[in-house]
Amino acid sequence: MSSTIELENKFCAHNYNPLPVVLSRGNGVFVWDENGKKYLDMMSAYSAVSHGHANPRLVEVVKNQVAKLTIVSRAYYTDQLGEFLKLACELTRQDMALPMNTGAEAVETAIKAARKWGYEVKGIETDKAEIIACTGNFHGRTITIIAMSDEPQYQYGFGPYPAGFKLVQYGDAEALEKLITPHTAAFLVEPIQGEGGIVVPPKGYLKTCQEICRKHNVLLIADEIQTGLGRTGSLLACDHENVVPDGLILGKALGGGILPVSMFLSKREVMEVFTPGDHGSTFGGNPLASAVGLEALKILIEEKLPERSKEMGNYLIGKLHGLDSPLISGIRGRGLFVGIEIDPALASAREICEALMERGLLSKETHETVVRLAPPLIIRRDEIDWAVDQISEVLQDMDRIRLAS
Ligand SMILES: *Cc1c(COP(=O)(O)O)cnc(C)c1O
């Protein structure tokens, strides 16, 4: 094993199980390992690198801003934050935004906003507010957020958990309506579940959830940390059903693959529950992050990345459907957000990811049975052709070995 891997394994907590490759450089859709071997990045850091590695426009903005002003905290106004949030609000049809850094912090912000809105605007009895989340959800790793999870491994050993959360079957709008009570402040949902295994709900699900939430005065909050910003072939995954949620959470690609940048956006009525001192973050909305986030949004629009995601995603999914392998039990996805479901009786998604890595294609398994394909949105047709050839050959190899044994 490489000594670099040994070093990391010795000093870094084992809270991940990385593929055995040591990356040292990235450019566009490619990364290189410490020996100079080139890989096509079909994972893009769980969709954080939608703009491609070392995007030249983003690198330029960082260089200028890093020498000018980086961190001052929100104790002061800066010449970067307002422009950034203005564009984010205009593009997502929201009124106001609260900037944070990681996705989990923005989810926590959404929960705080929903609860306080529940008490101050909806009139829910003190400390009785409920938030409904979905089975199979992933919203991050803080204690409060994992309290909403039904994945035993996310929770085991970390209790006790805060109260006030309920779970409803993902994709079942009727069940949502049944679960709502006068104490329900919000329904928190991923338009497509990412970590859950690229799970696409039935057509019209989000729209129906929106109608139900309206009817019962419940906030519809969309966690688009992974699905947002072009990943699924439209700017937001909510746009596919023309749903404007009451609250929206963005992260990952918002930082252009350079910095952690996240935010909670909402209608004015919701965001106005926050007053000075209620909530904050030392780094949230700093000028460097704001400059990067603003440019990341401009690139998405000017370079039509959501449209590219749609076109290339359809192309990729079409080609994957053409693969005739008994190992594949399903192909799901939208835009460049694709999961290949592997029949666990025949192979593990992990083995496939390792074999793809040998061939220079980086992917990552999710939930043992799904190979995730979510490349930078700048990927080209010929690169997809090459990737699908590798996948096809790996599946054929593994099927041959399986039949021989
Ligand atoms: C990644 C992710 C998060 C958490 O983001 P972090 O930056 O890792 O805290 C939350 N929600 C969804 C849907 C995600 O994909």
Side-chain angles (χ1 to χ4, degrees):
M1 191 179 284
S2 120
S3 61
T4 323
I5 291 182
E6 278 171 18
L7 184 72
E8 186 170 314
N9 278 343
K10 182 164 178 197
F11 290 104
C12 184
H14 296 170
N15 58 328
Y16 279 82
N17 180 20
L19 288 174
V21 57
V22 181
L23 301 175
S24 63
R25 188 162 74 84
N27 194 277
V29 295
F30 297 107
V31 287
W32 285 261
D33 72 12
E34 54 182 354
N35 304 315
K37 182 177 165 187
K38 184 180 176 184
Y39 299 83
L40 177 61
D41 182 1
M42 292 284 276
M43 220 281 276
S44 46
Y46 303 92
S47 299
V49 189
S50 288
H51 300 75
H53 295 276
N55 183 295
R57 284 180 62 176
L58 288 166
V59 169
E60 198 51 37
V61 163
V62 172
K63 277 192 195 160
N64 290 334
Q65 189 64 40
V66 86
K68 202 174 148 221
L69 187 69
T70 49
I71 315 275
V72 292
S73 87
R74 297 243 345 258
Y76 314 99
Y77 292 89
T78 68
D79 61 1
Q80 299 295 316
L81 183 58
E83 287 297 328
F84 172 40
L85 300 188
K86 174 173 185 272
L87 184 60
C89 286
E90 284 171 359
L91 291 176
T92 60
R93 295 182 275 174
Q94 298 291 336
D95 296 330
M96 296 176 84
L98 196 158
M100 299 296 278
N101 312 281
T102 66
E105 291 171 310
V107 172
E108 291 270 351
T109 303
I111 293 169
K112 282 187 169 181
R115 284 181 170 179
K116 199 163 180 197
W117 173 88
Y119 300 126
E120 300 209 328
V121 181
K122 181 165 173 169
I124 298 172
E125 212 180 307
T126 307
D127 289 347
K128 288 283 196 302
E130 294 165 354
I131 290 171
I132 300 177
C134 293
T135 56
N137 74 71
F138 181 84
H139 297 292
R141 299 292 201 164
T142 65
I143 295 281
T144 299
I145 292 170
I146 62 174
M148 296 187 282
S149 178
D150 62 348
E151 171 63 45
Q153 201 201 346
Y154 294 170
Q155 286 195 337
Y156 175 77
F158 301 128
Y161 297 107
F165 301 106
K166 283 179 165 179
L167 284 186
V168 67
Q169 183 69 37
Y170 185 60
D172 187 345
E174 255 176 59
L176 170 66
E177 183 150 34
K178 288 200 191 110
L179 211 58
I180 290 173
T181 73
H183 291 150
T184 309
F187 172 53
L188 174 62
V189 64
E190 298 158 85
I192 293 177
Q193 289 186 334
E195 299 317 294
I198 325 287
V199 183
V200 185
K203 203 163 180 285
Y205 173 61
L206 228 48
K207 191 84 202 166
T208 312
C209 290
Q210 182 181 45
E211 283 157 13
I212 292 167
C213 286
R214 287 250 164 92
K215 184 169 141 198
H216 296 280
N217 195 22
V218 167
L219 301 175
L220 173 70
I221 300 180
D223 179 349
E224 293 235 31
I225 289 172
Q226 195 158 169
T227 55
L229 306 179
R231 177 51 58 189
T232 70
S234 53
L235 186 74
L236 298 176
C238 284
D239 296 343
H240 290 301
E241 294 185 11
N242 203 16
V243 165
V244 180
D246 305 302
L248 172 69
I249 311 163
L250 297 177
K252 293 201 167 104
L254 191 59
I258 294 184
L259 288 169
V261 184
S262 70
M263 60 174 66
F264 171 64
L265 306 98
S266 73
K267 306 274 154 262
R268 192 164 294 276
E269 166 188 301
V270 177
M271 200 65 80
E272 281 185 339
V273 301
F274 287 120
T275 59
D278 279 2
H279 185 51
S281 161
T282 304
F283 293 101
N286 69 71
L288 183 60
S290 298
V292 167
L294 177 63
E295 190 70 5
L297 291 174
K298 285 184 179 166
I299 292 170
L300 277 171
I301 300 311
E302 288 165 18
E303 301 185 7
K304 299 194 162 45
L305 295 187
E307 291 85 346
R308 282 190 66 136
S309 173
K310 182 175 179 186
E311 191 189 333
M312 291 299 132
N314 284 340
Y315 183 66
L316 172 62
I317 293 170
K319 288 204 74 159
L320 291 172
H321 276 298
L323 294 179
D324 181 29
S325 170
L327 274 56
I328 298 180
S329 58
I331 289 157
R332 300 190 290 262
R334 198 145 194 194
L336 285 168
F337 197 41
V338 179
I340 308 175
E341 179 91 41
I342 303 298
D343 183 341
L346 303 184
S348 77
R350 174 78 184 194
E351 294 175 85
I352 292 170
C353 290
E354 286 180 2
L356 289 170
M357 181 196 83
E358 293 294 330
R359 288 168 173 271
L361 192 161
L362 293 184
S363 165
K364 187 78 172 80
E365 78 278 7
T366 167
H367 277 254
E368 279 110 58
T369 56
V370 181
V371 176
R372 173 208 311 254
L373 299 176
L377 305 182
I378 57 171
I379 194 167
R380 297 193 317 237
R381 210 170 275 264
D382 57 315
E383 292 157 347
I384 291 177
D385 289 339
W386 180 85
V388 175
D389 286 347
Q390 305 316 305
I391 295 166
S392 171
E393 284 170 30
V394 160
L395 293 174
Q396 280 173 36
D397 286 352
M398 293 191 52
D399 203 33
R400 258 196 303 275
I401 296 168
R402 179 180 70 86
L403 292 173
S405 64

